[in-house]
Amino acid sequence: MPCPDFSRGDCSHETANSAREAMIKEQLIMKLQDNGLLSNEELPQFKYDAVALFKRWGRRQLLGQDRRDPQRFIEEKFSEILRPYLVQAVVERIEKRVPNDRCIQVYEDIMSVLPRNERQQASTKANPHRNPKTPFSISRATPGSIKSNAQLIDTLASAANLHPATATMLRGQIVWSDSHPWGTRDPLGVFDTRTKLVSCGRLGRDHTLSDVPNNYVRDCLMNFINTKLDESRQENARRAVFSDLTPTEIEQYSTLIMKVSEDRRKTEDEMIAQIAGDKTAVEVDERDDVSKQALALEKVDKNVDLTPKPGFAIRDYHYPRRIKYSVIEPGLNEPTPEEEDINPGTDIDRDCDQIRAMIAIFIANTEWTADQFRLKLSGVDRERLTIFLEEEGTWKGDDKVFELAWEFFKRREMLGLPVAGTTGTNTSEDSSVLQERDANTTKRSSNDSENANATRKRTRRG
C-alpha cells in the first residue's frame, strides 16, 4: 500500500505564501515608481542594493557570486529576499530621495500595500489618547482643512528643516507609543527602527499612523518642538504646524503641553514611589515591572460596591498558610498582642473585584507601598500581584493573592482599622486607633466554626 502524501498541503501553503510575498514585492516597487522614486533604468541597481543588504555582502562578494550571468543571479536572489529587508531598502530610498515636506505622506502611501498582520485579539480597553489633553489639542480648522497625521509631521519637518530620516523615526515613535494595550497583559507593540513599522499592539495587528488619534499626534509634535528643537526654530515650527490657532493660542498650547509633560514625569515618579517607596532604590532592570504594577493599580475599578458578600468563598489555611506578619504597620514583623487574638475565620465575604479595589484604594490612601503590602502576604512576588490586579471579574484572580489579601483586610477590619482606606490614613493614626480600643474587647470572628472548616479546601460558592 503506497504511503499517503502528507506534503501536498504544506507545499500548497508554501506556494501560496511565496506568491503573496512576490505580489507584495511587486506592489512596493510599483509604489516607488508611482511616486517618482524609481525609474526602469534604476530598477536593476535597486535590486542589486536590496540583495546586498539582505545577504550582507559587499560589492566584491556580490559580483563574485556568478560572473557568467550576474543579472540573472541578482533576479534569483531578489526573489529570496525576506520582506523586512526589502522594506528597509524602500525606506532608505524614501529617506534619501523624498523632500522633507512630503516624506511621511509618501512613506504612508508606499507602506499601504503591506498587509496588517493579525497577531492577537484586540484590546477592549478604550484608548486614553483619544482624550484631548488641552483645549487646543483638537484642530480648530474647518473639516476639509484639517491636517492629516502625515501632513502634520511633514509640515514640522519642512518648517524645522528636519532630515527625512528624523521625520520617519518620529512617526514610528508616535505610532509605537499609541500601540500600547492599556490596562491589559497583552504584549506591547514592537518598533522596528530599520523599517519604522510597528507590529502587534492594542488593536491585535500591525499599528499604523492612521490608527493614532489626530489630537495625540498634535500633542506629541508640540512636545517635540518644545523639547527637541532649539529656540531659533521653535516659533516658526509651531506656527506652521498649528496654523489653525492664533499666536496667543499657540503660546497657551505650548505652555499647557509643557505642564502636561512635567505632570507626567511627576506622576511617574509618584507612581513608582507608590509601589517601591524611594524611586532611587529601584534598579533600572526592575523599573519596567514597577511601572507596570503602578499602571495596573491605576486601572483597577475603585468604584465597585464593597458591600460584604457572606459565603462567597472558603479560606483554606492549609494553603496558603495564615498571615504571620503584623498588618498594622509596614515595619512591624511580629504580630502585636491585639493581633494574636484575631480570628478572621474561613468565610471569605469579598469577591476578586472587591479585593482588587480594596488593594488599590488602600495603597492610594495610606502610607503603605505596594511592596510593603505584598510582603505581608507571605512574600507574594511583584509579578504575581500585578497579574492579579490586571484581571477583571468577580471569580478571576490568583487564589493565593486573593485569599491572603482578603485575610489582610479582614484582620485590619477586626482591629477597627480603615480596611478599605476610604479616608487618608497613616501608620501613626492606625496605632492611635488601637490604643483607644478597650484591651478587654472581645474579638469578633467572621465564622465560629473555623476549626471544623479549616481542613476543607477552599471552594467558591455560586
Side-chain angles (χ1 to χ4, degrees):
M1 180 177 177
C3 294
D5 183 4
F6 293 110
S7 63
R8 182 173 301 174
D10 291 339
C11 290
S12 176
H13 180 69
E14 291 177 4
T15 301
N17 282 340
S18 298
R20 182 167 60 251
E21 288 300 311
M23 182 179 68
I24 293 173
K25 290 177 183 178
E26 184 178 347
Q27 290 174 333
L28 285 170
I29 290 175
M30 290 176 61
K31 280 291 186 181
L32 283 173
Q33 293 175 329
D34 291 344
N35 282 277
L37 302 179
L38 186 65
S39 65
N40 290 331
E41 293 74 18
E42 294 173 314
L43 183 56
Q45 183 64 43
F46 173 76
K47 291 183 176 181
Y48 176 96
D49 294 338
V51 170
L53 181 66
F54 174 54
K55 292 293 187 179
R56 300 182 184 275
W57 285 339
R59 181 177 181 84
R60 286 185 178 180
Q61 283 180 291
L62 193 57
L63 290 176
Q65 295 300 315
D66 192 335
R67 296 180 181 276
R68 293 168 300 176
D69 193 349
Q71 188 57 45
R72 179 181 176 184
F73 174 78
I74 292 297
E75 289 292 340
E76 290 177 354
K77 294 303 177 184
F78 185 78
S79 66
E80 300 173 4
I81 292 178
L82 299 179
R83 189 197 304 171
Y85 291 93
L86 178 58
V87 174
Q88 181 182 350
V90 170
V91 171
E92 289 178 358
R93 197 168 191 85
I94 294 172
E95 293 171 347
K96 291 177 180 178
R97 296 289 189 92
V98 182
N100 59 10
D101 63 343
R102 63 187 187 95
C103 176
I104 303 302
Q105 294 172 75
V106 170
Y107 177 98
E108 292 298 311
D109 178 53
I110 294 176
M111 297 303 158
S112 65
V113 304
L114 298 177
R116 296 186 181 186
N117 297 320
E118 300 282 343
R119 301 177 186 270
Q120 64 199 43
Q121 186 175 359
S123 172
T124 58
K125 296 287 186 179
N127 182 11
H129 292 157
R130 290 199 175 278
N131 303 322
K133 290 183 174 63
T134 77
F136 311 105
S137 298
I138 296 178
S139 176
R140 299 186 178 186
T142 56
S145 303
I146 296 176
K147 294 186 181 76
S148 67
N149 293 344
Q151 289 173 331
L152 285 169
I153 301 175
D154 280 339
T155 302
L156 170 61
S158 177
N161 196 26
L162 301 179
H163 190 280
T166 302
T168 56
M169 181 63 74
L170 176 59
R171 171 213 170 273
Q173 291 170 337
I174 292 174
V175 174
W176 176 79
S177 176
D178 186 67
S179 72
H180 291 357
W182 299 96
T184 74
R185 287 185 285 140
D186 295 332
L188 301 176
V190 179
F191 179 36
D192 187 334
T193 57
R194 299 168 302 174
T195 64
K196 314 305 190 298
L197 297 173
V198 177
S199 57
C200 301
R202 62 180 174 81
L203 298 178
R205 55 165 172 75
D206 295 344
H207 214 72
T208 68
L209 185 60
S210 61
D211 296 320
V212 186
N214 186 259
N215 57 279
Y216 181 65
V217 175
R218 285 167 61 92
D219 290 345
C220 288
L221 296 187
M222 179 62 86
N223 183 63
F224 180 88
I225 294 170
N226 290 344
T227 60
K228 302 300 182 182
L229 296 184
D230 53 76
E231 291 186 7
S232 63
R233 294 188 292 170
Q234 288 181 356
E235 183 177 356
N236 184 52
R238 291 191 189 103
R239 292 193 176 187
V241 176
F242 308 107
S243 55
D244 56 297
L245 302 176
T246 66
T248 300
E249 290 171 337
I250 291 174
E251 184 177 352
Q252 293 173 340
Y253 187 16
S254 174
T255 301
L256 288 173
I257 288 297
M258 285 192 290
K259 184 177 185 304
V260 168
S261 298
E262 291 171 0
D263 290 344
R264 183 184 298 115
R265 286 193 294 270
K266 180 180 178 182
T267 300
E268 288 176 354
D269 289 344
E270 289 174 346
M271 290 170 67
I272 289 175
Q274 196 176 54
I275 303 301
D278 184 4
K279 66 183 179 67
T280 60
V282 178
E283 299 292 338
V284 175
D285 58 351
E286 67 172 323
R287 191 177 180 92
D288 287 346
D289 293 336
V290 171
S291 298
K292 187 175 182 180
Q293 186 168 104
L295 182 61
L297 272 172
E298 184 181 359
K299 296 298 180 181
V300 168
D301 183 1
K302 306 173 188 64
N303 297 316
V304 300
D305 184 1
L306 297 180
T307 302
K309 297 180 177 180
F312 177 78
I314 296 174
R315 172 72 168 98
D316 181 357
Y317 290 96
H318 287 91
Y319 181 82
R321 294 288 187 178
R322 66 174 64 248
I323 293 175
K324 61 182 180 180
Y325 304 109
S326 172
V327 299
I328 298 174
E329 295 183 23
L332 289 178
N333 289 328
E334 297 296 325
T336 64
E338 293 92 347
E339 292 178 88
E340 289 179 350
D341 295 333
I342 289 293
N343 176 17
T346 61
D347 183 16
I348 297 180
D349 56 359
R350 293 303 205 293
D351 64 35
C352 292
D353 282 337
Q354 289 176 314
I355 292 298
R356 274 186 280 271
M358 292 168 74
I359 294 172
I361 296 171
F362 179 73
I363 300 293
N365 292 279
T366 69
E367 294 181 346
W368 288 66
T369 66
D371 280 355
Q372 290 170 334
F373 167 75
R374 68 178 176 81
L375 291 176
K376 296 292 184 177
L377 309 185
S378 302
V380 167
D381 63 55
R382 185 179 290 144
E383 182 181 8
R384 196 166 187 171
L385 177 59
T386 300
I387 291 173
F388 177 79
L389 293 170
E390 290 175 333
E391 298 280 10
E392 290 182 357
T394 57
W395 305 100
K396 292 192 67 175
D398 182 275
D399 281 358
K400 180 179 181 180
V401 178
F402 172 69
E403 292 191 24
L404 289 172
W406 169 83
E407 183 185 343
F408 176 89
F409 289 119
K410 177 57 70 174
R411 288 179 176 276
R412 286 182 60 87
E413 177 185 314
M414 297 178 72
L415 289 166
L417 301 178
V419 181
T422 53
T423 58
T425 60
N426 56 47
T427 54
S428 61
E429 290 175 346
D430 289 347
S431 299
S432 298
V433 170
L434 292 177
Q435 291 173 2
E436 293 174 1
R437 295 176 70 247
D438 184 355
N440 296 319
T441 299
T442 301
K443 306 300 185 297
R444 296 178 292 114
S445 173
S446 65
N447 189 337
D448 294 333
S449 59
E450 177 188 357
N451 292 334
N453 290 328
T455 60
R456 294 167 54 190
K457 183 66 180 173
R458 171 187 154 224
T459 57
R460 296 182 182 178
R461 301 166 180 160

